[in-house]
Amino acid sequence: MKATCVLVLMVSMITVTEAVSAAIVTNNLVLSLDAGNAGNGVGVLGSGNAWINQSGSATNHDATLVGTADWAGTGTALDPFVVQFRSTPGAGTASGYATVVGSTPGSDLDLSTSFTYEVWAKIVGSGSGSSYWGGADGGTLMSHSSYSPEGNGSISYNPTAHNGAGPGLYDAGGSGGANFPNSTGPLTDGLMHHIVLSRAGGGINDTAWYLDGVLQSTFQSSSSPTDDTNGPYPFTIGARTKWFTTFDTGANADIAQVRVYSAALTADEVQQNFNSGLTSVPEPEAVTLMAFGLIGLLVITILPRKRVSIKAN
C-alpha cells in the first residue's frame, strides 16, 4: 500500500484594531491646550488648576483654571476629557474661565494680520452674557480681546440674537462682531464640534470658518490684529475679559482642545487637524496581520488496485 501525504498550508488573516492618532499641524503653532494631555501624560485627565501648553513655544503659555472651571470626562468617545465651563446663564459675569500667561507685546501670541483660532467644544447652554455684548445669553469659547477700541477677535456664541443678527457662532471683534454664516447647528445638537476661524489678513473675504473640517463660508472679519498699546490682553478660554478687571460672556460649554496658530491654516491643514480627532480618544485604525499556521494535515491514502483475472472456460 502506498500513502501520499499532502500538506495544506492555510493563511489566517487576523485584524487587530489599535488606537492611532494622526499628527496635527505644528508649523506656526503657538498655543496647544488639550484636556487629555494637560501635563500628566497623553490620555490622562488634567488635575489642579494648571493646563499645560503643549505647542513647544519658547514662551510660557500655560493656562490657569479659575473659579468653577473644572476637569471632567472619562476619555471615551462619548465622554472625552474636557474642561467644563458652567457660567450661570444671564448672570452677566463669568463664574469659571481659564487665562493664558505670556500674552505680552512682542510675544508669539501678539498676533499679526494672520492667525487661526481652533477649538473642540460642545455648547451645553446659554452663556452669562454681558451688558456690553449684544444678547443676554452669549458665551465665549476662546478670546484674545478686551472691551476697548483695539480689541481683536473671539469665537463666541449666542443662542438667541447678537447685535441684531440671529442666533449663531460669532467672530466677535472689538467693533461688536460678525456672525459666522450658517452657524446655528453647533448650538443645538449637544455634540462635540471642531470649530476653526482662520484669518489670512486684511481684505474682503479674508476670513474662513470651518465646522468639523469642512469650509462653511468666507467673510470679512471684524477682528483686527492684537494691539497692546494699553497693556497685555490676557488670552482667555470660556470667557472674555472686560477692561482687564472682570470677565463676562462666560460659556456654558465643554472644551476639549484649544489651539492658536500665528498664520492662517489652509483647508487641507484644517482637515488634517480635524482628522487627528481628540488626543484622549484616538481614532481606531485597522492593522492587518498575516499569521501563518498549519491548519491541518491532509493524509490521502491511495490503496493499491487489485487485479482480477477472468479465465475463459
Side-chain angles (χ1 to χ4, degrees):
M1 183 176 84
K2 296 180 179 179
T4 301
C5 295
V6 180
L7 184 63
V8 180
L9 185 64
M10 304 293 291
V11 178
S12 178
M13 304 291 291
I14 301 174
T15 299
V16 177
T17 300
E18 67 174 20
V20 178
S21 279
I24 64 167
V25 175
T26 56
N27 288 340
N28 302 304
L29 181 61
V30 178
L31 180 66
S32 180
L33 301 173
D34 185 346
N37 185 14
N40 301 324
V42 177
V44 180
L45 181 65
S47 60
N49 64 354
W51 195 356
I52 306 302
N53 176 29
Q54 303 291 343
S55 72
S57 170
T59 304
N60 179 12
H61 291 314
D62 295 343
T64 301
L65 305 191
V66 180
T68 59
D70 201 6
W71 310 97
T74 58
T76 64
L78 296 178
D79 188 28
F81 294 136
V82 298
V83 177
Q84 285 187 339
F85 298 91
R86 293 293 185 271
S87 290
T88 303
T93 58
S95 59
Y97 51 90
T99 58
V100 177
V101 301
S103 304
T104 55
S107 79
D108 53 4
L109 261 180
D110 190 10
L111 302 171
S112 60
T113 55
S114 300
F115 57 84
T116 299
Y117 292 164
E118 177 180 348
V119 60
W120 278 95
K122 176 175 70 174
I123 296 173
V124 176
S126 298
S128 70
S130 169
S131 60
Y132 290 90
W133 198 73
D137 52 1
T140 297
L141 300 177
M142 58 187 296
S143 173
H144 194 183
S145 62
S146 175
Y147 284 97
S148 57
E150 61 272 16
N152 85 324
S154 308
I155 294 181
S156 304
Y157 71 93
N158 198 300
T160 54
H162 174 66
N163 288 349
L169 289 162
Y170 296 90
D171 161 33
S175 61
N179 95 317
F180 297 166
N182 306 315
S183 63
T184 56
L187 301 178
T188 58
D189 61 11
L191 300 175
M192 188 69 67
H193 287 286
H194 182 245
I195 304 166
V196 174
L197 174 68
S198 181
R199 184 176 191 263
I204 297 174
N205 291 332
D206 66 335
T207 304
W209 91 272
Y210 300 80
L211 178 64
D212 297 333
V214 179
L215 175 66
Q216 302 298 305
S217 64
T218 58
F219 61 103
Q220 179 66 45
S221 173
S222 66
S223 298
S224 58
T226 305
D227 180 350
D228 291 304
T229 54
N230 290 337
Y233 295 150
F235 199 104
T236 55
I237 303 160
R240 179 162 127 160
T241 183
K242 185 171 74 173
W243 294 311
F244 315 104
T245 57
T246 60
F247 294 82
D248 60 7
T249 63
N252 237 319
D254 295 340
I255 296 180
Q257 292 179 353
V258 171
R259 297 189 190 102
V260 176
Y261 293 84
S262 58
L265 292 186
T266 66
D268 287 342
E269 289 173 327
V270 172
Q271 183 69 52
Q272 177 180 335
N273 281 5
F274 171 69
N275 289 342
S276 74
L278 300 177
T279 302
S280 55
V281 190
E283 294 293 324
E285 179 178 282
V287 179
T288 302
L289 305 178
M290 302 288 289
F292 292 91
L294 183 61
I295 303 302
L297 181 64
L298 177 63
V299 179
I300 302 175
T301 303
I302 304 177
L303 297 177
R305 293 180 180 177
K306 191 175 183 179
R307 293 183 180 180
V308 178
S309 298
I310 302 176
K311 295 180 179 180
N313 289 327

